[in-house]
Structure formats: structure tokens, C-alpha cells
Amino acid sequence: MDEFEEKMNELDQMSDENKTTTMNQMKSDCICPICPTYNECAKKDDELLFCVTGKSKNCITKERGCMCPTCPFAQEYGIGVKYNFYCMRDTELEQR
Ligand code: SF4
Ligand code: SF4
């Protein structure tokens, strides 16, 4: 199991309150808002951290480049290079 899988398991086992706090910390490292694929709709709906939460619900429908390989969260957990475009293609774990 790699570091990302360990982190996802850790999240699964957290209480709802701890999970929310941890997800908010993770979201603060997410650089999707500066990506050309990100849009106003996603911003308005506060969609972030697609690598963990999965595809954009209704907002992102076209791939225009992906910044995930340069994201600090992705680099810390060794994701974002082999798989990315999480907002369109689903979570890291789903793409594996
Ligand atoms: S890897 Fe991509 S989706 Fe995940 S936190 Fe970084 S920028 Fe956001
Ligand atoms: S997941 Fe990748 S393509 Fe989608 S908005 Fe984030 S950085 Fe851009």
C-alpha cells in the first residue's frame, strides 16, 4: 500500500468531524482553481480535491490541461503524474 492509499484508509476511519477538518486542510493545498480546466461553476459550487472526491458533479465538461502534476498535495502523496484530470476522469484510486 502506498502513501496515498494509506491516507485514504485513514480518512475512511475518521469521525465525520475529523474527516471534514482533514479534507479542508487537503483542499487548501489543491491548485485546481489556477488550472485552465477549472471554471466559474466549479468555483461557485466549491468543488476541489477531485483526486479524492471524484469527478466534477455538473461543472467541468472539457479538458483544457491539468495542473495536478505540480500540486503540492499530489507531490506529497506521489500522485498526479500517471493519472490526473481527476475532475473529468474520477479519483486516483478509481483510475488505477
Ligand atoms: S492533485 Fe489535482 S485534484 Fe488533487 S488536490 Fe492537487 S490539484 Fe487538486
Ligand atoms: S483535476 Fe486537474 S484538470 Fe481538473 S481542475 Fe484540477 S488541476 Fe485542472
Side-chain angles (χ1 to χ4, degrees):
M1 189 182 292
D2 69 13
E3 270 190 75
F4 185 75
E5 287 167 348
E6 277 174 23
K7 187 72 182 175
M8 294 304 100
N9 278 352
E10 201 185 295
L11 264 185
D12 277 346
Q13 285 160 21
M14 282 179 189
S15 65
D16 287 348
E17 196 186 339
N18 283 349
K19 193 170 178 175
T20 304
T21 308
T22 306
M23 294 274 285
N24 284 340
Q25 285 164 354
M26 290 153 85
K27 282 179 182 177
S28 69
D29 278 338
C30 177
I31 60 167
C32 289
I34 61 163
C35 170
T37 295
Y38 202 72
N39 59 27
E40 277 302 314
C41 173
K43 187 176 172 189
K44 195 164 148 281
D45 285 2
D46 201 25
E47 291 192 331
L48 284 169
L49 204 67
F50 303 103
C51 53
V52 174
T53 61
K55 293 177 199 177
S56 167
K57 301 282 177 288
N58 304 302
C59 293
I60 298 174
T61 55
K62 193 161 192 238
E63 294 180 359
R64 299 175 197 274
C66 180
M67 304 284 289
C68 290
T70 63
C71 162
F73 176 79
Q75 288 176 356
E76 184 177 351
Y77 289 99
I79 65 164
V81 177
K82 186 168 180 189
Y83 305 107
N84 44 46
F85 281 103
Y86 303 112
C87 58
M88 289 285 293
R89 303 180 190 178
D90 220 339
T91 65
E92 169 73 14
L93 293 182
E94 283 298 325
Q95 289 191 54
R96 287 184 178 178

Coordinates of all heavy atoms in Angstrom, one line a residue:
M1 N 0.8 -1.2 0.0 CA 0.0 0.0 0.0 C 0.9 1.3 0.0 O 1.8 1.4 0.8 CB -0.9 0.0 1.3 CG -1.9 1.0 1.3 SD -2.9 1.1 2.8 CE -3.8 -0.5 2.6
D2 N 0.6 2.2 -0.9 CA 1.4 3.4 -0.9 C 0.9 4.5 0.0 O -0.2 4.3 0.6 CB 1.6 3.9 -2.4 CG 0.4 4.4 -3.0 OD1 -0.6 4.7 -2.3 OD2 0.3 4.6 -4.2
E3 N 1.6 5.6 0.0 CA 1.2 6.7 1.0 C -0.2 7.2 0.7 O -1.0 7.5 1.6 CB 2.2 7.8 0.9 CG 3.4 7.7 1.8 CD 4.1 9.0 1.8 OE1 3.7 10.0 2.4 OE2 5.2 9.0 1.2
F4 N -0.6 7.3 -0.6 CA -1.9 7.8 -0.9 C -3.0 6.9 -0.4 O -4.0 7.3 0.2 CB -2.0 8.1 -2.4 CG -3.3 8.7 -2.8 CD1 -3.6 10.1 -2.5 CD2 -4.4 8.0 -3.4 CE1 -4.8 10.7 -2.9 CE2 -5.6 8.6 -3.7 CZ -5.8 9.9 -3.5
E5 N -2.8 5.6 -0.7 CA -3.8 4.6 -0.2 C -3.9 4.6 1.3 O -5.0 4.5 1.9 CB -3.4 3.2 -0.7 CG -3.6 3.0 -2.2 CD -3.0 1.8 -2.8 OE1 -2.1 1.2 -2.1 OE2 -3.3 1.5 -3.9
E6 N -2.7 4.7 2.0 CA -2.8 4.8 3.5 C -3.6 6.0 3.9 O -4.4 5.9 4.9 CB -1.3 4.9 4.0 CG -0.7 3.6 4.1 CD 0.8 3.7 4.6 OE1 1.2 4.7 5.2 OE2 1.5 2.7 4.3
K7 N -3.4 7.2 3.2 CA -4.1 8.4 3.6 C -5.6 8.2 3.4 O -6.5 8.6 4.2 CB -3.6 9.5 2.8 CG -4.1 10.9 3.2 CD -3.6 11.4 4.5 CE -4.1 12.7 4.9 NZ -3.7 13.1 6.2
M8 N -6.0 7.5 2.3 CA -7.4 7.3 2.0 C -8.0 6.4 3.1 O -9.2 6.6 3.5 CB -7.6 6.7 0.6 CG -7.2 7.7 -0.5 SD -8.1 9.3 -0.5 CE -6.8 10.3 0.2
N9 N -7.3 5.4 3.5 CA -7.8 4.5 4.5 C -7.9 5.2 5.8 O -8.9 5.0 6.6 CB -6.8 3.3 4.7 CG -7.0 2.2 3.7 OD1 -7.9 2.2 3.0 ND2 -6.1 1.2 3.7
E10 N -7.0 6.0 6.1 CA -7.0 6.9 7.3 C -8.3 7.7 7.3 O -9.0 7.8 8.3 CB -5.8 7.7 7.3 CG -5.3 8.3 8.7 CD -4.1 9.3 8.4 OE1 -3.1 8.8 7.9 OE2 -4.3 10.5 8.6
L11 N -8.5 8.4 6.2 CA -9.7 9.2 6.1 C -11.0 8.4 6.3 O -11.9 8.8 7.0 CB -9.8 9.8 4.6 CG -9.3 11.2 4.3 CD1 -9.6 11.5 2.9 CD2 -9.9 12.2 5.2
D12 N -11.1 7.2 5.7 CA -12.3 6.3 5.9 C -12.6 6.0 7.3 O -13.7 5.8 7.7 CB -12.0 5.0 5.1 CG -12.3 5.1 3.7 OD1 -12.9 6.1 3.3 OD2 -11.9 4.2 2.9
Q13 N -11.5 5.9 8.1 CA -11.7 5.5 9.5 C -12.0 6.7 10.5 O -12.2 6.5 11.6 CB -10.5 4.7 10.0 CG -10.5 3.3 9.4 CD -9.2 2.6 9.4 OE1 -8.3 3.0 10.1 NE2 -9.0 1.6 8.5
M14 N -11.9 7.9 9.9 CA -12.1 9.1 10.8 C -13.5 9.4 11.1 O -14.4 9.0 10.3 CB -11.5 10.3 10.1 CG -10.1 10.5 10.1 SD -9.6 12.0 9.2 CE -7.8 11.7 9.2
S15 N -13.8 10.0 12.2 CA -15.1 10.5 12.5 C -15.5 11.6 11.5 O -14.6 12.2 10.9 CB -15.1 11.2 13.9 OG -14.3 12.3 13.9
D16 N -16.8 11.9 11.3 CA -17.2 12.9 10.3 C -16.5 14.2 10.6 O -16.1 14.9 9.6 CB -18.7 13.1 10.3 CG -19.4 11.9 9.7 OD1 -18.7 11.1 9.1 OD2 -20.6 11.8 9.8
E17 N -16.4 14.6 11.9 CA -15.8 15.9 12.2 C -14.3 16.0 11.8 O -13.9 16.9 11.2 CB -16.0 16.1 13.7 CG -15.8 17.5 14.1 CD -15.8 17.7 15.6 OE1 -16.3 16.8 16.3 OE2 -15.2 18.7 16.1
N18 N -13.6 14.9 12.2 CA -12.1 14.9 11.8 C -11.9 14.8 10.3 O -11.0 15.4 9.8 CB -11.4 13.7 12.4 CG -11.2 13.9 13.9 OD1 -11.3 15.0 14.4 ND2 -10.8 12.8 14.6
K19 N -12.8 14.1 9.7 CA -12.8 14.0 8.2 C -12.9 15.3 7.5 O -12.2 15.7 6.6 CB -13.8 13.0 7.7 CG -13.6 12.5 6.3 CD -14.6 11.4 6.0 CE -14.4 10.9 4.6 NZ -15.2 9.8 4.2
T20 N -13.9 16.1 8.0 CA -14.2 17.4 7.5 C -12.9 18.3 7.6 O -12.5 19.0 6.7 CB -15.4 18.0 8.1 OG1 -16.5 17.1 7.9 CG2 -15.8 19.4 7.5
T21 N -12.4 18.3 8.9 CA -11.2 19.1 9.1 C -10.0 18.7 8.2 O -9.4 19.6 7.6 CB -10.8 18.9 10.6 OG1 -11.9 19.2 11.4 CG2 -9.7 19.9 11.0
T22 N -9.8 17.4 8.1 CA -8.7 16.9 7.3 C -8.9 17.3 5.8 O -8.0 17.7 5.2 CB -8.5 15.4 7.5 OG1 -8.4 15.2 8.9 CG2 -7.3 14.9 6.8
M23 N -10.1 17.1 5.4 CA -10.4 17.4 4.0 C -10.2 18.9 3.7 O -9.7 19.2 2.6 CB -11.9 17.0 3.6 CG -12.1 15.5 3.7 SD -11.7 14.6 2.2 CE -13.1 15.1 1.1
N24 N -10.6 19.7 4.6 CA -10.4 21.1 4.5 C -8.9 21.5 4.4 O -8.5 22.3 3.6 CB -11.1 21.9 5.6 CG -12.6 22.0 5.4 OD1 -13.1 21.8 4.3 ND2 -13.3 22.3 6.4
Q25 N -8.1 20.8 5.2 CA -6.6 21.0 5.1 C -6.1 20.6 3.7 O -5.3 21.3 3.1 CB -5.9 20.2 6.2 CG -6.1 20.9 7.6 CD -5.7 19.9 8.7 OE1 -5.4 18.7 8.4 NE2 -5.7 20.4 9.9
M26 N -6.6 19.4 3.3 CA -6.2 19.0 2.0 C -6.6 19.9 0.8 O -5.9 20.2 -0.1 CB -6.8 17.5 1.7 CG -6.1 16.5 2.6 SD -7.2 15.1 2.9 CE -6.9 14.1 1.5
K27 N -7.9 20.4 1.0 CA -8.4 21.3 -0.1 C -7.5 22.6 -0.1 O -7.4 23.2 -1.2 CB -9.8 21.7 0.3 CG -10.8 20.6 -0.1 CD -12.2 21.0 0.2 CE -13.2 19.9 -0.1 NZ -14.6 20.2 0.3
S28 N -7.0 23.0 1.0 CA -6.2 24.3 1.0 C -4.9 24.1 0.1 O -4.3 25.1 -0.3 CB -5.9 24.8 2.4 OG -5.0 23.9 3.0
D29 N -4.5 22.9 -0.1 CA -3.3 22.6 -1.0 C -3.7 22.4 -2.4 O -2.8 22.3 -3.3 CB -2.6 21.3 -0.5 CG -1.6 21.6 0.7 OD1 -1.3 22.8 0.8 OD2 -1.3 20.7 1.4
C30 N -5.0 22.3 -2.7 CA -5.4 21.9 -4.1 C -5.3 23.2 -5.0 O -5.8 24.2 -4.7 CB -6.9 21.5 -4.0 SG -7.6 21.1 -5.6
I31 N -4.6 23.0 -6.1 CA -4.4 24.1 -7.0 C -5.3 24.1 -8.2 O -5.1 24.9 -9.2 CB -2.9 24.2 -7.5 CG1 -2.5 22.9 -8.2 CG2 -2.0 24.4 -6.3 CD1 -1.2 23.0 -9.0
C32 N -6.4 23.3 -8.2 CA -7.4 23.3 -9.3 C -7.8 24.8 -9.7 O -8.0 25.0 -10.9 CB -8.6 22.5 -8.9 SG -8.2 20.7 -8.9
P33 N -8.1 25.7 -8.7 CA -8.6 27.0 -9.1 C -7.6 27.7 -10.0 O -8.1 28.7 -10.7 CB -8.7 27.7 -7.7 CG -9.0 26.6 -6.8 CD -8.1 25.5 -7.2
I34 N -6.4 27.4 -10.1 CA -5.5 28.1 -11.1 C -5.3 27.3 -12.4 O -4.5 27.7 -13.3 CB -4.1 28.5 -10.5 CG1 -3.3 27.2 -10.1 CG2 -4.3 29.5 -9.4 CD1 -1.8 27.5 -9.9
C35 N -6.1 26.2 -12.5 CA -5.9 25.4 -13.7 C -6.9 25.8 -14.9 O -8.0 26.3 -14.6 CB -6.3 23.9 -13.3 SG -6.5 22.8 -14.7
P36 N -6.4 25.8 -16.1 CA -7.3 26.2 -17.2 C -8.6 25.4 -17.4 O -9.6 25.9 -18.0 CB -6.4 26.1 -18.5 CG -5.2 25.4 -18.1 CD -5.1 25.4 -16.6
T37 N -8.6 24.2 -16.9 CA -9.8 23.4 -16.9 C -10.9 23.8 -15.9 O -12.1 23.6 -16.1 CB -9.5 21.9 -16.7 OG1 -8.6 21.5 -17.8 CG2 -10.7 21.0 -16.7
Y38 N -10.4 24.4 -14.8 CA -11.4 24.8 -13.7 C -12.2 26.0 -14.3 O -11.8 26.7 -15.1 CB -10.5 25.2 -12.5 CG -11.3 25.2 -11.2 CD1 -11.6 24.0 -10.6 CD2 -11.6 26.4 -10.6 CE1 -12.2 24.0 -9.4 CE2 -12.3 26.4 -9.4 CZ -12.6 25.2 -8.8 OH -13.2 25.2 -7.5
N39 N -13.4 26.1 -13.8 CA -14.3 27.2 -14.3 C -15.1 27.8 -13.1 O -15.1 27.4 -12.0 CB -15.2 26.6 -15.4 CG -16.1 25.5 -15.0 OD1 -16.4 25.4 -13.8 ND2 -16.5 24.6 -15.9
E40 N -15.9 28.8 -13.5 CA -16.6 29.6 -12.5 C -17.7 28.7 -11.8 O -17.9 28.9 -10.6 CB -17.4 30.7 -13.3 CG -16.5 32.0 -13.5 CD -16.0 32.6 -12.2 OE1 -16.7 32.7 -11.2 OE2 -14.7 32.9 -12.2
C41 N -18.3 27.8 -12.6 CA -19.3 26.9 -12.0 C -18.7 26.1 -10.8 O -19.2 26.0 -9.7 CB -19.9 26.0 -13.1 SG -21.0 24.7 -12.5
A42 N -17.5 25.5 -11.1 CA -16.8 24.7 -10.1 C -16.4 25.6 -8.9 O -16.5 25.1 -7.7 CB -15.6 24.1 -10.7
K43 N -16.0 26.8 -9.2 CA -15.7 27.7 -8.1 C -16.9 28.0 -7.2 O -16.8 28.0 -6.0 CB -15.1 29.0 -8.7 CG -14.5 30.0 -7.7 CD -13.9 31.2 -8.4 CE -13.5 32.2 -7.4 NZ -13.2 33.5 -8.1
K44 N -18.0 28.3 -7.9 CA -19.2 28.7 -7.2 C -19.7 27.5 -6.3 O -20.2 27.7 -5.2 CB -20.3 29.0 -8.2 CG -21.5 29.7 -7.7 CD -22.3 30.4 -8.8 CE -23.8 30.4 -8.5 NZ -24.5 29.1 -8.7
D45 N -19.6 26.3 -6.8 CA -20.0 25.1 -6.1 C -18.9 24.6 -5.1 O -19.1 23.5 -4.5 CB -20.4 24.0 -7.1 CG -21.7 24.2 -7.7 OD1 -22.3 25.3 -7.5 OD2 -22.1 23.3 -8.5
D46 N -17.8 25.3 -5.0 CA -16.7 24.9 -4.1 C -16.2 23.5 -4.4 O -15.9 22.8 -3.4 CB -17.2 25.1 -2.7 CG -16.1 25.3 -1.7 OD1 -15.0 25.7 -2.1 OD2 -16.2 24.9 -0.5
E47 N -16.1 23.2 -5.6 CA -15.6 21.9 -6.0 C -14.1 21.9 -6.0 O -13.5 22.8 -6.6 CB -16.1 21.5 -7.4 CG -17.5 21.2 -7.5 CD -17.9 20.5 -8.8 OE1 -17.3 20.7 -9.8 OE2 -18.9 19.8 -8.8
L48 N -13.5 21.0 -5.3 CA -12.0 20.9 -5.2 C -11.6 19.5 -4.9 O -12.5 18.6 -4.6 CB -11.5 21.8 -4.0 CG -11.5 23.3 -4.2 CD1 -11.2 23.9 -2.8 CD2 -10.4 23.7 -5.2
L49 N -10.3 19.2 -4.9 CA -9.8 17.9 -4.4 C -10.4 16.7 -5.1 O -10.8 15.7 -4.6 CB -10.0 17.8 -2.9 CG -9.2 16.8 -2.1 CD1 -7.7 17.3 -2.0 CD2 -9.7 16.7 -0.7
F50 N -10.5 16.8 -6.5 CA -11.2 15.8 -7.3 C -10.4 14.4 -7.2 O -11.0 13.4 -7.4 CB -11.3 16.2 -8.7 CG -12.0 17.5 -9.0 CD1 -11.3 18.7 -9.2 CD2 -13.4 17.6 -8.9 CE1 -11.9 19.9 -9.4 CE2 -14.0 18.8 -9.1 CZ -13.3 20.0 -9.3
C51 N -9.1 14.5 -6.9 CA -8.3 13.3 -6.8 C -8.9 12.4 -5.7 O -8.7 11.1 -5.7 CB -6.9 13.6 -6.6 SG -6.6 14.7 -5.1
V52 N -9.5 13.0 -4.7 CA -10.1 12.2 -3.6 C -11.6 12.1 -3.7 O -12.1 11.0 -3.4 CB -9.7 13.0 -2.2 CG1 -10.4 12.3 -1.0 CG2 -8.2 13.0 -2.0
T53 N -12.2 13.1 -4.1 CA -13.7 13.1 -4.1 C -14.3 12.7 -5.4 O -15.5 12.3 -5.5 CB -14.3 14.5 -3.8 OG1 -13.8 15.4 -4.8 CG2 -13.8 15.0 -2.4
G54 N -13.6 12.7 -6.5 CA -14.1 12.2 -7.8 C -14.5 13.3 -8.7 O -14.3 14.5 -8.5
K55 N -15.1 12.9 -9.9 CA -15.4 13.9 -10.9 C -16.2 15.1 -10.5 O -17.0 14.9 -9.6 CB -16.3 13.1 -12.0 CG -15.6 12.1 -12.8 CD -16.6 11.4 -13.7 CE -16.1 10.0 -14.1 NZ -17.0 9.3 -15.0
S56 N -16.1 16.1 -11.2 CA -16.9 17.3 -11.0 C -18.4 16.9 -11.3 O -18.7 16.2 -12.2 CB -16.6 18.4 -12.1 OG -17.5 19.4 -12.1
K57 N -19.3 17.3 -10.4 CA -20.7 16.9 -10.5 C -21.4 17.4 -11.7 O -21.9 16.6 -12.5 CB -21.5 17.4 -9.2 CG -20.9 16.9 -7.9 CD -21.3 15.4 -7.6 CE -20.7 15.0 -6.3 NZ -19.2 14.7 -6.3
N58 N -21.4 18.7 -11.9 CA -22.1 19.2 -13.1 C -21.3 20.3 -13.8 O -21.7 20.7 -14.9 CB -23.4 19.9 -12.6 CG -24.3 19.0 -11.9 OD1 -24.7 18.0 -12.4 ND2 -24.6 19.4 -10.6
C59 N -20.1 20.7 -13.3 CA -19.5 21.9 -13.8 C -18.4 21.7 -14.9 O -18.4 22.4 -15.9 CB -18.8 22.6 -12.7 SG -20.0 23.3 -11.5
I60 N -17.5 20.8 -14.7 CA -16.4 20.7 -15.6 C -16.7 19.6 -16.7 O -16.9 18.4 -16.4 CB -15.1 20.4 -14.9 CG1 -14.8 21.5 -13.9 CG2 -13.9 20.2 -15.8 CD1 -13.6 21.4 -13.0
T61 N -16.7 20.0 -17.9 CA -17.1 19.1 -19.0 C -16.0 19.0 -20.1 O -16.2 18.3 -21.1 CB -18.4 19.5 -19.6 OG1 -18.3 20.8 -20.0 CG2 -19.6 19.4 -18.6
K62 N -15.0 19.8 -20.0 CA -14.0 19.8 -21.1 C -12.6 19.9 -20.5 O -12.3 20.7 -19.6 CB -14.2 21.0 -22.0 CG -13.5 21.0 -23.3 CD -14.0 21.9 -24.3 CE -13.4 21.5 -25.6 NZ -12.7 22.1 -26.5
E63 N -11.7 19.0 -21.0 CA -10.3 19.1 -20.5 C -9.5 20.1 -21.3 O -9.4 20.1 -22.5 CB -9.7 17.7 -20.7 CG -10.3 16.6 -19.9 CD -9.7 15.2 -20.0 OE1 -8.8 15.0 -20.9 OE2 -10.2 14.3 -19.4
R64 N -8.9 21.0 -20.5 CA -8.1 22.1 -21.1 C -6.7 22.1 -20.5 O -6.1 23.2 -20.3 CB -8.8 23.4 -20.8 CG -10.1 23.6 -21.4 CD -10.8 24.9 -21.0 NE -12.2 24.9 -21.2 CZ -12.8 25.2 -22.4 NH1 -12.1 25.5 -23.4 NH2 -14.1 25.2 -22.5
G65 N -6.2 21.0 -20.1 CA -4.9 20.9 -19.4 C -5.1 20.6 -18.0 O -6.2 20.9 -17.4
C66 N -4.1 20.0 -17.3 CA -4.3 19.6 -15.9 C -3.0 20.0 -15.1 O -1.9 19.7 -15.5 CB -4.5 18.1 -15.8 SG -4.7 17.6 -14.1
M67 N -3.2 20.8 -14.0 CA -2.1 21.2 -13.2 C -1.8 20.2 -12.1 O -0.8 20.5 -11.3 CB -2.5 22.6 -12.5 CG -2.9 23.7 -13.4 SD -1.5 24.4 -14.3 CE -0.8 25.3 -12.9
C68 N -2.5 19.1 -12.0 CA -2.3 18.2 -10.9 C -0.8 17.8 -10.7 O -0.3 17.7 -9.6 CB -3.1 17.0 -11.0 SG -4.9 17.3 -10.7
P69 N 0.0 17.6 -11.8 CA 1.4 17.1 -11.6 C 2.2 18.1 -10.8 O 3.2 17.8 -10.2 CB 1.9 17.0 -13.0 CG 0.7 16.7 -13.8 CD -0.4 17.5 -13.2
T70 N 1.8 19.4 -10.7 CA 2.5 20.4 -10.0 C 1.9 20.7 -8.6 O 2.4 21.6 -7.9 CB 2.7 21.7 -10.8 OG1 1.3 22.3 -11.0 CG2 3.3 21.5 -12.2
C71 N 0.9 20.0 -8.2 CA 0.2 20.3 -7.0 C 1.0 19.8 -5.8 O 1.5 18.7 -5.8 CB -1.2 19.6 -7.1 SG -2.0 19.4 -5.5
P72 N 1.1 20.6 -4.7 CA 1.8 20.2 -3.5 C 1.3 18.9 -2.9 O 2.0 18.1 -2.4 CB 1.8 21.4 -2.6 CG 1.0 22.4 -3.2 CD 0.6 22.0 -4.6
F73 N -0.1 18.8 -2.9 CA -0.7 17.6 -2.3 C -0.3 16.4 -3.1 O 0.0 15.4 -2.5 CB -2.2 17.8 -2.2 CG -3.0 16.6 -1.7 CD1 -3.1 16.4 -0.4 CD2 -3.6 15.8 -2.6 CE1 -3.7 15.2 0.1 CE2 -4.2 14.6 -2.2 CZ -4.3 14.3 -0.8
A74 N -0.4 16.5 -4.4 CA -0.1 15.4 -5.3 C 1.4 15.0 -5.1 O 1.7 13.8 -5.0 CB -0.3 15.8 -6.7
Q75 N 2.2 16.0 -5.0 CA 3.7 15.7 -4.8 C 3.9 15.0 -3.5 O 4.7 14.1 -3.4 CB 4.5 16.9 -5.1 CG 4.5 17.3 -6.5 CD 5.2 18.6 -6.9 OE1 5.7 19.3 -6.0 NE2 5.3 18.9 -8.2
E76 N 3.2 15.5 -2.5 CA 3.4 14.8 -1.1 C 3.0 13.4 -1.1 O 3.7 12.5 -0.5 CB 2.6 15.6 -0.1 CG 2.9 15.1 1.3 CD 2.2 15.9 2.4 OE1 1.6 17.0 2.1 OE2 2.2 15.5 3.5
Y77 N 2.0 13.1 -1.9 CA 1.4 11.7 -1.8 C 1.7 10.9 -3.1 O 1.2 9.8 -3.3 CB -0.1 11.7 -1.6 CG -0.3 12.1 -0.1 CD1 -0.7 13.4 0.2 CD2 -0.2 11.2 0.9 CE1 -0.8 13.8 1.5 CE2 -0.3 11.6 2.2 CZ -0.7 12.9 2.5 OH -0.8 13.3 3.8
G78 N 2.6 11.4 -3.9 CA 3.1 10.6 -5.1 C 2.0 10.3 -6.1 O 2.0 9.3 -6.7
I79 N 1.1 11.3 -6.3 CA 0.0 11.1 -7.4 C 0.1 12.2 -8.4 O 1.0 13.1 -8.3 CB -1.4 11.0 -6.7 CG1 -1.8 12.4 -6.1 CG2 -1.5 9.9 -5.7 CD1 -3.3 12.5 -5.8
G80 N -0.8 12.2 -9.4 CA -0.9 13.4 -10.3 C -0.1 13.3 -11.6 O -0.3 14.1 -12.5
V81 N 0.8 12.3 -11.7 CA 1.6 12.2 -12.9 C 1.0 11.1 -13.8 O 0.6 11.4 -15.0 CB 3.1 12.0 -12.6 CG1 3.9 11.8 -13.8 CG2 3.6 13.1 -11.7
K82 N 1.0 9.9 -13.3 CA 0.5 8.8 -14.1 C -1.0 9.0 -14.4 O -1.5 8.8 -15.5 CB 0.7 7.5 -13.4 CG 0.4 6.3 -14.3 CD 0.9 5.0 -13.6 CE 0.6 3.8 -14.5 NZ 0.9 2.5 -13.8
Y83 N -1.7 9.3 -13.4 CA -3.2 9.6 -13.5 C -3.4 11.1 -13.1 O -2.8 11.5 -12.2 CB -4.0 8.7 -12.6 CG -3.7 7.2 -12.9 CD1 -3.0 6.5 -11.9 CD2 -4.2 6.6 -14.0 CE1 -2.7 5.2 -12.2 CE2 -3.9 5.3 -14.3 CZ -3.1 4.6 -13.3 OH -2.9 3.3 -13.6
N84 N -4.3 11.7 -13.8 CA -4.7 13.1 -13.4 C -6.0 13.5 -14.1 O -6.8 12.6 -14.3 CB -3.5 14.1 -13.7 CG -2.9 13.9 -15.1 OD1 -3.7 13.7 -16.1 ND2 -1.6 13.8 -15.2
F85 N -6.3 14.7 -14.4 CA -7.6 15.1 -14.9 C -8.7 14.5 -14.0 O -9.7 14.0 -14.5 CB -7.8 14.7 -16.3 CG -7.1 15.6 -17.3 CD1 -5.9 15.3 -18.0 CD2 -7.7 16.9 -17.6 CE1 -5.3 16.1 -18.9 CE2 -7.0 17.7 -18.5 CZ -5.9 17.3 -19.2
Y86 N -8.5 14.5 -12.7 CA -9.4 13.9 -11.8 C -10.9 14.5 -11.9 O -11.8 13.8 -11.7 CB -8.9 14.0 -10.4 CG -7.6 13.4 -10.2 CD1 -6.5 14.2 -9.9 CD2 -7.4 12.0 -10.3 CE1 -5.2 13.7 -9.7 CE2 -6.1 11.5 -10.1 CZ -5.0 12.3 -9.8 OH -3.8 11.8 -9.6
C87 N -10.9 15.8 -12.2 CA -12.3 16.4 -12.3 C -13.1 15.8 -13.5 O -14.3 15.9 -13.5 CB -12.1 17.9 -12.5 SG -11.2 18.3 -14.0
M88 N -12.4 15.2 -14.4 CA -13.1 14.6 -15.6 C -13.1 13.1 -15.6 O -14.0 12.4 -16.1 CB -12.5 15.1 -16.9 CG -12.7 16.5 -17.3 SD -14.4 16.8 -17.9 CE -14.3 15.9 -19.4
R89 N -12.0 12.5 -15.0 CA -11.7 11.1 -15.1 C -11.9 10.3 -13.8 O -11.7 9.1 -13.9 CB -10.3 10.9 -15.7 CG -10.1 11.6 -17.0 CD -8.7 11.3 -17.5 NE -8.4 12.2 -18.6 CZ -7.2 12.3 -19.2 NH1 -6.2 11.5 -18.8 NH2 -7.0 13.1 -20.2
D90 N -12.3 10.9 -12.8 CA -12.5 10.3 -11.4 C -11.3 10.2 -10.6 O -10.2 10.6 -11.0 CB -13.2 8.9 -11.6 CG -14.3 8.7 -10.5 OD1 -14.2 9.4 -9.5 OD2 -15.1 7.9 -10.7
T91 N -11.4 9.7 -9.4 CA -10.4 9.7 -8.3 C -9.1 9.0 -8.8 O -9.2 8.2 -9.7 CB -10.9 9.1 -7.0 OG1 -11.1 7.7 -7.3 CG2 -12.1 9.7 -6.5
E92 N -8.1 9.2 -8.0 CA -6.8 8.5 -8.2 C -7.1 7.0 -8.1 O -6.7 6.2 -9.0 CB -5.8 9.0 -7.2 CG -4.5 8.1 -7.1 CD -3.5 8.3 -8.3 OE1 -3.7 9.2 -9.1 OE2 -2.7 7.4 -8.4
L93 N -7.7 6.6 -7.1 CA -8.0 5.2 -6.8 C -8.8 4.5 -7.9 O -8.5 3.4 -8.4 CB -8.6 4.9 -5.4 CG -7.7 5.3 -4.2 CD1 -8.5 4.9 -2.9 CD2 -6.4 4.6 -4.3
E94 N -9.8 5.3 -8.4 CA -10.7 4.7 -9.5 C -9.9 4.6 -10.8 O -10.2 3.7 -11.5 CB -11.9 5.6 -9.7 CG -13.0 5.5 -8.7 CD -13.6 4.1 -8.6 OE1 -13.8 3.5 -9.7 OE2 -14.0 3.7 -7.5
Q95 N -9.0 5.5 -11.0 CA -8.2 5.4 -12.3 C -7.2 4.3 -12.3 O -6.7 3.9 -13.3 CB -7.6 6.7 -12.6 CG -8.6 7.8 -13.0 CD -7.8 9.0 -13.6 OE1 -7.0 9.0 -14.5 NE2 -8.1 10.2 -13.0
R96 N -6.8 3.8 -11.1 CA -5.7 2.8 -11.0 C -6.1 1.5 -11.6 O -7.3 1.1 -11.5 CB -5.2 2.7 -9.6 CG -4.4 3.9 -9.2 CD -3.8 3.7 -7.8 NE -3.0 4.8 -7.4 CZ -2.4 5.0 -6.3 NH1 -2.5 4.1 -5.3 NH2 -1.7 6.1 -6.0
Ligands
SF4_1 S1 -3.9 16.5 -7.3 FE1 -5.3 17.8 -8.5 S2 -7.3 17.5 -7.7 FE2 -5.9 16.7 -6.2 S3 -5.5 18.3 -4.8 FE3 -3.9 18.5 -6.4 S4 -4.8 19.9 -7.9 FE4 -6.5 19.2 -6.6
SF4_2 S1 -8.2 17.9 -11.6 FE1 -6.6 18.6 -12.9 S2 -7.7 19.2 -14.8 FE2 -9.2 19.1 -13.2 S3 -9.2 21.3 -12.4 FE3 -7.8 20.1 -11.1 S4 -5.8 20.5 -12.0 FE4 -7.4 21.0 -13.6

